[in-house]
Amino acid sequence: MDWYPWGDAAFDKARRENKPVFLSIGYSTCHWCHVMERESFENVQVAAVINQWFVPVKVDREERPDVDRLYMAAMQSMGLGGGWPLNVFLTPELEPFFGGTYFPPHALPGRPGLPDVLARVHHVWASQRDEIEEQGRRVFESIEAALADRGDPGVATVADPVAARAELLERAHATLERIHDAEHGGFGGAPKFPTPVNLAFLTRFGSRDPEGRPTALAMVYRQLDVMQAGGIHDALGGGFHRYATDALWHVPHFEKMLYDQAQLAWAYLEGSQNAGAPGPAHDAERAQGYADTARGIFRYVMRDLTAPGGGFFSAEDADSEGVEGRFYVWTRRELDTVLGADAALFAAAYDVTAAGNFEHGASVLQRVHSDAALAETFGGTPPEIAARLARARETLFAVRSRRPRPHLDDKVLTAWNGIMISALARGARVLRESALTDAATRSANFLWEHLRDPGTGAMRRRFRDGEAAGAGQLDDYVYPALGFLDLYGATFDAVWIERSVLMMEQALERFGDDTDGTLFESPADDPHVRIRMKDDFDGAEIAGNSVAAWVLVTLAALLDREPWRQRAQRLLDTYAARLATNPIAMPRMLAAMDLAAAPPNHVVIAGDPEAADTRMLIREFDRRFLPRELLLVVPPGARGKWERLAPFAAALTPVGGAATAYICTNYACRLPVTDPEAFAEMLDRL
């Protein structure tokens, strides 16, 4: 295949030679992309036809989400579905007129073969070019019309926009209750995705009224429990696979994505905080289990996805040795060979049978029996069973590490690193592990030094083999803004707040749409992307506007920035109108609405962040799930910087030389406390 990158060279050639563009969009760890590459693009005869009749262009959707977003919308507009690989035929003016996803090398029932498709498109292009070009124009016109029709119905014109948003949250909760799989956890049937955005919304929604909304946290706990026990969780190496192919979380699609690890780490950390919080619902065992699962995610990322210099790689493939899942599955015979006397115990614990629960007699590891149940069968105490299983996992992990590994997608994506920085920083606080702070700081510095233009503030999309490339998208600004903001909470170094502010200023300047207060997802200066899109969906990746809303609301409250508060309110009102018919399309946007509904709540600790008395107060805050309270730590020697950032906080000083906590609502503070127990009582009343 004579592949061209997305750009002038390909499009000039298409116009010069009057050929359609064959656009193939995929990503490095996409299973069916690899299949189509092997079957067709590496086939000499098929490749020759494509090279002769078309200008082939290859796009990595993770490097160019704007191109993928536009042509995915075009395919759906034409009624041709969507997915990856996404193969679209374009006119030389880049207007789409036909396409599909995976095309096999020969026709199958209900699915045409690629050679037949190529021949048909070539014939129609040669004989009906005018009609084809008109169809391409109509596709883009329909997308533009659909975007215009969404408009801005103006929730702010209703009598009470805050009440309108509150109703939206209630409806989203009711919808999630309706589609919740009470038996197996999660939402809907197979395939089953982790959807951590749903969990984030439910956790926050339920925390407003735990007694009145018990089902919200119950749905979260159920899903976290079954996922960490299921085959979607890598019981040996930590981390989570992309999704489960069945409704029971048993058989995964085995690829591992950086953004999944970050969001699921968030979910398990918040689950641990909720389960471990003081009070009648305290569940120490569950809290510890969730914390251990989060630790496993971080160990995996730091061990297997860390790039030289501190960034994080993007993903690992599902396949190894040409077979999906081979790296991860086990046979009973392998357990007998490796574990000896403990093989039967491990097989019973993790559902490894002679027949296998997967393919070809192999089994996906899934935890099916508790330590207590196994102790009754195999003897010993539950702690002794736990110790034996831990040793067995270590042994199997060492053996597995010698197997051929799945392909590593070794590009460092700015946005995905931003969200991983956020997760690591939160993990450092909840788990009290300084190594996580160090990893988050290294990645944040890597982004700042290697992927940001110090002169213009422009972010690049990706880094690979020493090269930073690609214009930054919206999420390449707002995801790092979120990561830097959370990193402040782990380091209490105000430079990270300053950098978060700079990221958001750039995002508003480069992507802001003054007509409705929202932000475009792609930059304005690419002549080859005809329509700038805005995501209306929080899926595997959170929409840039959802993250932007969250960061804007937080920074506006944290630093008392009224213009940003107003900008956030307008953005939230616009999306509230758009979500009126489908509130669960953007659960993270709903979480931002929930945050904005509360008055600014600050917890300010005046003291040296490294001092023991300050750390005791910080620990009391971190051990609770307080999603609407903003923590600031103001060292005595840094008042000048805080007078610029947050003057109200700079005025709060230690009492009697001791670290002192102030709880403030709407910038009015209660009497200060220095005693950790008194501080804890105040936090429990929030």
Side-chain angles (χ1 to χ4, degrees), residues 588-618:
R588 268 288 173 180
M589 184 65 74
L590 300 183
M593 292 178 189
D594 175 80
L595 180 64
N601 292 324
H602 294 82
V603 176
V604 181
I605 297 175
D608 178 0
E610 300 302 320
D613 56 351
T614 307
R615 300 305 304 178
M616 289 179 67
L617 295 176
I618 293 171

Side-chain angles (χ1 to χ4, degrees), residues 575-600:
Y575 270 99
R578 293 180 181 175
L579 295 173
T581 58
N582 185 19
I584 64 168
M586 300 184 77
R588 268 288 173 180
M589 184 65 74
L590 300 183
M593 292 178 189
D594 175 80
L595 180 64

Side-chain angles (χ1 to χ4, degrees), residues 198-462:
N198 290 345
L199 304 182
F201 163 69
L202 288 170
T203 303
R204 284 156 179 78
F205 183 81
S207 70
R208 277 199 178 275
D209 183 7
E211 293 184 3
R213 299 169 174 173
T215 59
L217 198 56
M219 286 188 279
V220 173
Y221 283 166
R222 181 60 182 152
Q223 183 169 333
L224 295 179
D225 289 344
V226 296
M227 283 198 306
Q228 72 180 2
I232 192 174
H233 181 213
D234 182 355
L236 301 184
F240 283 80
H241 300 295
R242 181 70 193 84
Y243 62 86
T245 60
D246 59 296
L248 284 68
W249 306 99
H250 173 199
V251 178
H253 177 49
F254 288 90
E255 67 182 313
K256 286 180 165 183
M257 314 299 293
L258 182 66
Y259 58 75
D260 281 329
Q261 311 312 316
Q263 293 183 72
L264 286 168
W266 282 352
Y268 279 97
L269 290 169
E270 292 177 355
S272 179
Q273 285 178 304
N274 274 293
H282 179 77
D283 187 337
E285 183 177 356
R286 172 174 270 154
Q288 185 62 53
Y290 292 167
D292 288 344
T293 298
R295 286 189 181 93
I297 293 172
F298 293 134
R299 281 197 301 270
Y300 162 66
V301 170
M302 294 168 69
R303 181 187 65 237
D304 294 334
L305 294 183
T306 299
F312 298 108
F313 297 132
S314 296
E316 286 193 298
D317 208 337
D319 301 359
S320 58
E321 302 179 85
V323 178
E324 181 171 5
R326 173 168 287 183
F327 181 75
Y328 298 100
V329 299
W330 296 85
T331 65
R332 177 58 197 266
R333 179 174 296 179
E334 287 173 320
L335 293 191
D336 290 339
T337 301
V338 173
L339 297 179
D342 280 336
L345 170 65
F346 191 89
Y350 287 94
D351 193 34
V352 181
T353 64
N357 61 30
F358 182 50
E359 297 173 350
H360 312 299
S363 293
V364 177
L365 301 184
Q366 56 173 341
R367 188 65 188 264
V368 292
H369 294 296
S370 67
D371 294 340
L374 293 165
E376 292 182 4
T377 302
F378 291 91
T381 65
E384 290 170 342
I385 293 294
R388 289 173 63 186
L389 291 175
R391 288 192 298 270
R393 287 193 298 270
E394 291 177 2
T395 300
L396 292 172
F397 176 76
V399 171
R400 194 183 79 173
S401 297
R402 296 193 288 271
R403 294 175 175 177
R405 288 196 67 86
H407 162 71
L408 173 69
D409 182 352
D410 62 353
K411 62 179 181 288
V412 175
L413 290 172
T414 301
W416 297 7
N417 272 248
I419 201 169
M420 195 68 229
I421 292 165
S422 169
L424 286 162
R426 296 182 190 198
R429 294 176 64 174
V430 176
L431 303 176
R432 289 185 293 174
E433 294 186 7
S434 61
L436 303 182
T437 305
D438 295 342
T441 303
R442 284 194 301 272
S443 178
N445 284 324
F446 184 89
L447 295 188
W448 194 259
E449 294 167 7
H450 295 286
L451 284 146
R452 178 180 178 273
D453 184 323
T456 65
M459 299 298 292
R460 309 305 288 176
R461 175 68 180 172
R462 65 97 172 135

Side-chain angles (χ1 to χ4, degrees), residues 481-685:
L482 174 62
F484 296 165
L485 187 56
D486 283 335
L487 186 54
Y488 166 75
T491 64
F492 300 109
D493 184 344
V495 70
W496 296 114
I497 290 183
E498 294 173 326
R499 291 181 178 181
S500 181
V501 168
L502 289 173
M503 287 287 100
M504 282 309 303
E505 288 175 341
Q506 288 285 328
L508 293 173
E509 177 184 341
R510 294 172 182 275
F511 302 94
D513 183 353
D514 291 335
T515 62
D516 61 7
T518 64
L519 297 100
F520 293 104
E521 299 279 344
S522 58
D525 54 0
D526 189 336
H528 304 309
V529 178
R530 293 268 297 275
I531 304 172
R532 297 176 77 193
M533 307 284 286
K534 299 173 187 175
D535 266 359
D536 284 350
F537 186 69
D538 292 331
E541 298 176 64
I542 309 170
N545 272 277
S546 293
V547 178
W550 181 272
V551 177
L552 274 174
V553 171
T554 303
L555 285 175
L558 193 70
L559 307 179
D560 194 18
R561 284 198 171 200
E562 184 58 29
W564 280 17
R565 186 178 290 112
Q566 294 176 4
R567 182 63 182 263
Q569 295 295 345
R570 190 174 179 211
L571 187 157
L572 293 173
D573 284 342
T574 297
Y575 270 99
R578 293 180 181 175
L579 295 173
T581 58
N582 185 19
I584 64 168
M586 300 184 77
R588 268 288 173 180
M589 184 65 74
L590 300 183
M593 292 178 189
D594 175 80
L595 180 64
N601 292 324
H602 294 82
V603 176
V604 181
I605 297 175
D608 178 0
E610 300 302 320
D613 56 351
T614 307
R615 300 305 304 178
M616 289 179 67
L617 295 176
I618 293 171
R619 175 57 188 152
E620 285 299 333
F621 183 90
D622 286 345
R623 63 195 291 253
R624 292 162 172 80
F625 180 64
L626 298 168
R628 298 167 198 89
E629 278 61 49
L630 308 169
L631 178 64
L632 289 173
V633 176
V634 181
R639 289 188 62 186
K641 176 171 286 192
W642 283 104
E643 284 172 353
R644 295 191 302 273
L645 280 173
F648 84 94
L652 304 177
T653 58
V655 174
T660 304
Y662 299 81
I663 294 181
C664 314
T665 299
N666 253 337
Y667 310 100
C669 301
R670 306 178 195 176
L671 292 174
V673 295
T674 57
D675 177 60
E677 291 187 8
F679 180 49
E681 291 178 3
M682 293 174 66
L683 293 175
D684 287 339
R685 292 196 296 269

